[in-house]
Amino acid sequence: MQLPEETCYAFQAEHCSCRNVTAHKLRNADLASGLSVGELDTIAVALPNPWPLAIKRMIDVIGSIVGLALLAPLLLATAIVIKAADGGPVLFRQWRVGKDGARFRILKFRTLAADSCDSAGLVLVSSADDPRLTPLGAILRRYNIDELPQLLNILAGEMSLVGPRPHVPDMLVSGLFYEAAVPGYALRLNMRPGLTGWAQCNGYRGPVHDPDTAAQRVRHDLAYIGNFSLALDLQILALTLVREFIWRQQPNVRSGPYRVDELPAAMP
């Protein structure tokens, strides 16, 4: 992939932050060898053109409105059952990092006991046996119903239907901040976070416990950004619908390496 001569974004692992650079070229060899920890100091990803992004935002608005309307009975029933179960709050709000590092409060149906909610999001639910989970919460998480209130985040412009999943601030992997553990991590913030994404379509979902898996997830996110198109978004949405509502079996995790301009095919 040949990057344009105009400004693009680069990530300096040493400083763990984004900054603008001019005429930064992406060499195929950089990403062909993968993004192993400590292997790469600087990478770049070409940003999509503004017109496709404007259409993407229009699709987000229409899609979230239609989704909220169609799912209204399910959303209302879920809210009533959560409230009736223990009298606690229906929604769980948690700070997440969005586009360009802006923080927003993500919305979810509450799945943990009211006195066990982790607003920082640093104590992950690693299994269905987590004692903090309510019986209803385990069901909501299994079918990802707890994520549906994020349609409101999409309508508000904080999220998109498709994009890298938003992380909590100061998220850790193996005791390291993601920014330090995975070179190029901050490039994920060049696009709005998504309700679903390319990493999730390829089996990268749920808790991450080691830097290599974290790097693979980021690699998929960067491949999505580098290959962004409206057709790709529709493909990801179709894959998500099929796997969440028609074919529940999750794909095995796919391993790289590949270049940003070589988007791996999602597994069947």
Side-chain angles (χ1 to χ4, degrees), residues 109-252:
F109 281 126
R110 180 173 58 86
T111 58
L112 305 183
D115 59 354
S116 300
C117 292
D118 174 28
S119 59
L122 299 179
V123 183
L124 301 178
V125 177
S126 58
S127 73
D129 299 325
D130 192 305
R132 298 173 297 161
L133 271 174
T134 65
L136 175 61
I139 297 174
L140 296 180
R141 281 178 176 259
R142 179 181 179 185
Y143 294 99
N144 293 320
I145 297 174
D146 62 315
E147 308 281 359
L148 293 180
Q150 290 164 41
L151 289 170
L152 294 172
N153 291 116
I154 296 171
L155 188 58
E158 297 162 333
M159 291 179 61
S160 177
L161 290 171
V162 179
R165 285 293 293 163
H167 289 175
V168 299
D170 301 324
M171 192 169 180
L172 303 175
V173 54
S174 296
L176 297 173
F177 291 119
Y178 253 82
E179 293 90 335
V182 183
Y185 174 81
L187 290 172
R188 300 172 75 255
L189 306 180
N190 286 339
M191 292 191 76
R192 284 189 181 95
L195 184 63
T196 186
W198 189 245
Q200 287 67 43
C201 284
N202 283 276
Y204 288 96
R205 55 187 303 163
V208 175
H209 301 291
D210 63 89
D212 287 337
T213 303
Q216 284 283 9
R217 180 174 289 187
V218 171
R219 204 178 282 129
H220 279 75
D221 291 336
L222 298 187
Y224 164 73
I225 296 173
N227 292 272
F228 165 73
S229 69
L230 298 175
L232 177 59
D233 273 18
L234 293 177
Q235 179 186 354
I236 292 173
L237 288 173
L239 285 169
T240 300
L241 289 174
V242 168
R243 287 171 178 166
E244 295 302 328
F245 298 102
I246 299 176
W247 182 44
R248 285 290 304 165
Q249 182 179 357
Q250 295 299 325
N252 295 323

Side-chain angles (χ1 to χ4, degrees), residues 73-108:
L74 174 61
L75 298 174
L76 180 60
T78 302
I80 292 173
V81 174
I82 293 174
K83 191 67 177 179
D86 59 11
V90 170
L91 293 178
F92 173 61
R93 296 172 174 84
Q94 187 179 73
W95 288 107
R96 296 293 177 99
V97 181
K99 187 177 185 300
D100 298 327
R103 297 190 180 189
F104 68 98
R105 291 212 173 201
I106 199 171
L107 300 176
K108 292 187 175 187

